[in-house]
Amino acid sequence: MAAELIYAFRVMRLPLLDAGGSTIGRIEDLVAVPGRPARHGRPAAAPRLVGFVASSQRRRIFVNANRVAELNSDGARLKSWDIDLNPFKPRSGEVLIGADLIDRRIGDEAVSDIGLLPMSDGRSTWWEIDKVRLARRNSLGRRSSYRLADASAVPGLFDDPTAMEAEAARLRDFHPAEVAAVVRALPDSQRRLLADALDDQRLADVLEELPEEEQIRIIEGLDRERLEGIFDEMEFDDVADLLGKMTVAQQEQMLDAMDDDDEEVVRRLLSYEEGTAGGLMTPEVIILDPSATVAEALAQIRDPDWVVSIATQVFVCQPPFKTPTGKFLGVVHMQRLLREPPSMELRHLIDDVPTLSPETSDSETAAELASYDLLAVPVCDGAGRLLGAVTVDDVIDRMLGEQWRQRRRPTARPKATGVGGN
């Protein structure tokens, strides 16, 4: 049997449900992107739903369509219990069905509803814009007449974004590594156009998945304001790796685009030799005072901006609490935090772990991580001050060699978890 259409007007105001069916919000609008045009013998693709705008905990958030397990008259039920509460930010190339399409004039008619067709490839489900319900008010002012038209037969349904704005919008729910694979397949001129269409955070995430030489080709020629935004979103160690591949003149130009504090951190990272713990480490870790409580530590770990390898432990130090810190005292692992009362101070939970010097070699660093089953190992100077940490993902990155990203070309597919850039 053919799948039944789901009408957007009915979806709006439906509850947003967690995996167990409990209401956690309400759907306010639907986010769609225009379909790709026909080219190179490939048929045109239908416009597609990429997500939902929902209200939850007094916030207007974005819920990626691939996070939704089921959409019916009961609501939109998520595949999991977690939800990202970052505010929704519209992006170029995206269209809000309720705000932008409903009531849009198409000739002497107006869009009154949008019919969504559920699609599946056996692994995932998505929704395409299949039908448009059009209303026409007759000349005598009586009740409007309606007709249902194929979306492909309704000109002017979408504004005409640039090809790269539409492509950037379609790639919203893909992992940065998979977007990087798309970028690598484009000629340089189109790479720059796609980079222009991505927001700063998304572009920073994609750049971190590209080899440094390709990063340089993309960011060359960007204006100072754009560079500042991108560098603000990148990890310090990734910025240092990128600048390390540039000439001295290029380095100074990029460093000049940073604020003074960030410039100081990156210059310090650039001072370490390549192939050492100092050259691998990130200075951005969770640092707390020994008098901080378990509750405070867990609040820090919950921050979704921390990568997993950093969010598994808290580094306990004497003040100051910005690298380089005061004396490093040890770490408290997340599993221990989960077992202790919220009011307990971290001083009672500290584990002694090995530390590295900035001059420790890559191979020794890898051996320490493996020997102690750590996801991140602290790096300290001769005075015992914490400078940063080397994470297992950065060690693996180094061990695979500089060219592994070119050799690996993942098949682009939506992320299984997470909610995209918002």
Side-chain angles (χ1 to χ4, degrees), residues 171-186:
L171 292 170
R172 176 177 192 150
D173 54 352
F174 287 81
H175 190 282
E178 292 155 347
V179 179
V182 173
V183 170
R184 292 201 303 271
L186 296 172

Side-chain angles (χ1 to χ4, degrees), residues 231-232 234-241 243 255 258-272 278-279 281-285 287 321-325 386-389:
F231 288 150
D232 273 348
M234 291 181 72
E235 303 290 336
F236 282 120
D237 54 326
D238 289 312
V239 175
D241 288 343
L243 268 59
L255 287 165
M258 301 177 194
D259 64 42
D260 292 342
D261 289 341
D262 289 354
E263 180 184 349
E264 180 184 349
V265 173
V266 174
R267 285 190 184 278
R268 187 165 67 246
L269 292 176
L270 287 170
S271 71
Y272 298 117
M281 75 177 179
T282 174
E284 294 183 290
V285 295
I287 302 169
F321 302 117
K322 182 179 179 181
T323 57
T325 66
L386 182 69
L387 301 175

Side-chain angles (χ1 to χ4, degrees), residues 48-251:
R48 182 169 175 164
L49 193 70
V50 294
F52 304 84
V53 181
S55 58
S56 181
Q57 299 184 26
R58 299 184 180 180
R59 300 186 187 188
R60 198 164 182 253
I61 63 171
F62 176 78
V63 178
N64 222 310
N66 65 38
R67 298 288 312 284
V68 174
E70 190 175 7
L71 180 63
N72 55 36
S73 59
D74 294 329
R77 183 175 61 81
L78 299 177
K79 295 176 181 177
S80 62
W81 276 264
D82 65 308
I83 187 169
D84 192 327
L85 292 176
N86 286 327
F88 168 71
K89 297 177 183 177
R91 296 179 176 179
S92 297
E94 296 178 342
V95 173
L96 292 173
I97 289 179
D100 301 327
L101 295 189
I102 302 295
D103 294 331
R104 170 171 287 200
R105 299 295 303 181
I106 307 289
D108 59 354
E109 298 174 300
V111 176
S112 67
D113 212 342
I114 296 290
L116 305 169
L117 186 65
M119 307 291 289
S120 177
D121 59 5
R123 294 185 306 168
S124 58
T125 299
W126 66 94
W127 293 269
E128 294 180 351
I129 293 180
D130 184 63
K131 300 291 183 183
V132 180
R133 189 170 183 255
L134 296 166
R136 174 183 288 154
R137 186 175 295 276
N138 66 34
S139 58
L140 298 178
R142 295 174 183 168
R143 183 177 299 177
S144 299
S145 60
Y146 298 91
R147 70 182 180 95
L148 199 61
D150 291 337
S152 59
V154 181
L157 185 61
F158 291 94
D159 292 330
D160 191 19
T162 68
M164 286 304 162
E165 283 178 339
E167 187 68 14
R170 281 188 288 267
L171 292 170
R172 176 177 192 150
D173 54 352
F174 287 81
H175 190 282
E178 292 155 347
V179 179
V182 173
V183 170
R184 292 201 303 271
L186 296 172
D188 284 347
S189 59
Q190 291 187 17
R191 290 183 186 189
R192 177 62 61 82
L193 291 173
L194 182 57
D196 289 343
L198 297 171
D199 63 34
D200 291 344
Q201 180 179 353
R202 185 66 161 157
L203 180 55
D205 290 342
V206 172
L207 287 173
E208 290 173 353
E209 299 295 333
L210 290 168
E212 283 84 8
E213 292 80 1
E214 297 189 27
Q215 294 180 36
I216 293 170
R217 289 205 297 272
I218 289 174
I219 68 171
E220 280 177 333
L222 294 180
D223 61 47
R224 181 189 178 97
E225 184 178 354
R226 189 80 207 274
L227 285 172
E228 286 178 354
I230 292 167
F231 288 150
D232 273 348
E233 300 293 344
M234 291 181 72
E235 303 290 336
F236 282 120
D237 54 326
D238 289 312
V239 175
D241 288 343
L242 170 59
L243 268 59
K245 299 295 183 181
M246 295 181 176
T247 65
V248 173
Q250 288 174 318
Q251 283 185 13

Side-chain angles (χ1 to χ4, degrees), residues 6-7 10-27 52 68-78 127:
I6 301 171
Y7 284 93
R10 296 179 184 175
V11 173
M12 290 183 279
R13 302 293 180 242
L14 282 177
L16 178 67
L17 311 172
D18 66 18
S22 298
T23 299
I24 55 175
R26 191 161 296 278
I27 298 172
F52 304 84
V68 174
E70 190 175 7
L71 180 63
N72 55 36
S73 59
D74 294 329
R77 183 175 61 81
L78 299 177
W127 293 269

